[in-house]
Each structure stands twice: as C-alpha cells, then as structure tokens.
Amino acid sequence: MIRNILISALLVFAMALPASAQNVAVKTNALYWATTTPNIGVEVSVAKQHSLQLFYGLNPWKQSGGDQTSLRHWLLMPEYRYWFCESFNGWFVGAHLMGGQFNMAGVDLPFGLFPSLENRRYEGWYAGGGVTAGYQWVLSRHWNIEASLGVGYDYIKYDKFRCGECGERLKSGHTNYIGPTKLALSVMYVF
C-alpha cells in the first residue's frame, strides 16, 4: 500500500512540473543496482540554475535456501539542487530529505559499518536529510552521466532479532546516524 502511494507520488511529481525540452530527466543509480536494488529518479529543471529531483529505490528480494542474507528495503529521496552553470550541466549543490523502511540480516557492509548485521536481523524505518554535491557530464543531446555524494543525518527506529527468519526480538530502539547518506553514479536520459 505505502509503496503504491510512493510510486504514484513519483509520477504526479513528474507530471506536475514543466515538461518542455531539456527540462526533465529520468535517471538510475548504477551503484544502487550493485546491491540488486532497482531504482529510478525523475529530475525537473524549474529555472535555469535550479532543479528538483525525486528518487525511489526498492529491494524486495528475499533470499532462498539456507542463506539468511537479506537486504530488503525501500527509499524515497526528494532533493533540491542549485547549479553553478545551468541545470543538467556541470557542478551542483543541493539539499535532500530521505525516508524508508528496511528488513536486513546477514549483511557484511563495507568499512565495518553496522558489524552486528552479520549475525542479527534488523527491521524498522528511517527518516532524515542532508546536503549533496555533484557533477554532471553531458555525453550527447539526451544522455548525461552524474556523480554525487551526500552527507547528513538519519533517525533510525528498529527492532533487533536473533536471526534472519526466526528468533525472538532482542531489543527495540533507535539510533542517530551522521555520515554519508547518498553515493550515486547515475546514467540519465534528458528529454
């Protein structure tokens, strides 16, 4: 139900803003695909140096067999961007909000982030925001590549369980996260 509402919001967002040539782009984050997470973003230029983006990612996959690994989650991230040259070209800075839900277990994250995910399951939700900086390269009239990085804050509310599929709830709690909130290498089509 919530996912259908979010997808509808993404479509309304895309249709509600001006849609003339070089004002709308559809994109996908290749780094997010590396986690087997299908994702899509829509960005709309609202002035020469200003754009709005709405990004959505959903990983619904459940592992089969004896593997207790799970990285199920969804994410919705609206973002405002200021461009130093013009929309969809060159350097930009922005501000983003984010929210979503997760159900993760048996995951070994890089850089030692959340080491207890390897042998516990966490289920919950998060909300937060941050700042973004990035650059877009124009490849042709319709194709761009974008690299961006965001840092910020997330409030995370969770339940902790003994193992992936079963087990008793060990703890309910929350945590405050400050650090990277976005890493993107996106391929985009500009209309």
Side-chain angles (χ1 to χ4, degrees), residues 2 5 7 12 24 49 58-60 64 69 78 111 127 134 145 147 158 170-171 178 187-188 190:
I2 292 175
I5 292 170
I7 291 170
V12 168
V24 178
Q49 294 179 283
L58 170 66
N59 188 325
S64 60
T69 301
F111 312 114
I145 291 182
Y158 65 88
L170 300 173
K171 175 184 175 184
I178 296 175
V187 176
M188 53 193 301
V190 182

Side-chain angles (χ1 to χ4, degrees), residues 116-135:
S116 64
L117 269 176
E118 290 183 57
N119 55 15
R120 298 285 187 257
R121 180 171 67 90
Y122 289 83
E123 185 176 326
W125 60 271
Y126 58 95
V131 294
T132 305
Y135 192 87

Side-chain angles (χ1 to χ4, degrees), residues 4 11 23 26 33 50 69 76 82 89 102 106 125 127 169 173 181-182:
N4 291 339
L11 293 173
N23 280 350
V26 176
W33 279 97
H50 304 273
T69 301
L76 185 66
Y82 172 80
N89 185 11
F102 58 89
W125 60 271
R169 182 171 56 198
T181 53
K182 176 181 182 179

Side-chain angles (χ1 to χ4, degrees), residues 58-78:
L58 170 66
N59 188 325
W61 320 122
K62 186 175 181 178
Q63 299 292 7
S64 60
D67 190 354
Q68 294 292 313
T69 301
S70 174
L71 191 58
R72 299 171 74 186
H73 66 281
W74 64 264
L75 161 77
L76 185 66
M77 181 183 288

Side-chain angles (χ1 to χ4, degrees), residues 25-96:
V26 176
K27 62 177 69 177
T28 190
N29 182 351
L31 299 178
Y32 212 20
W33 279 97
T35 66
T36 67
T37 304
N39 62 89
I40 189 168
V42 176
E43 186 169 359
V44 178
S45 176
V46 293
K48 183 179 180 192
Q49 294 179 283
H50 304 273
S51 67
L52 297 173
Q53 173 178 278
L54 188 59
F55 178 82
Y56 178 73
L58 170 66
N59 188 325
W61 320 122
K62 186 175 181 178
Q63 299 292 7
S64 60
D67 190 354
Q68 294 292 313
T69 301
S70 174
L71 191 58
R72 299 171 74 186
H73 66 281
W74 64 264
L75 161 77
L76 185 66
M77 181 183 288
E79 182 175 335
Y80 162 79
R81 292 178 171 182
Y82 172 80
W83 296 81
F84 293 104
C85 182
E86 62 183 350
S87 295
F88 307 123
N89 185 11
W91 288 102
F92 63 86
V93 292
H96 63 270

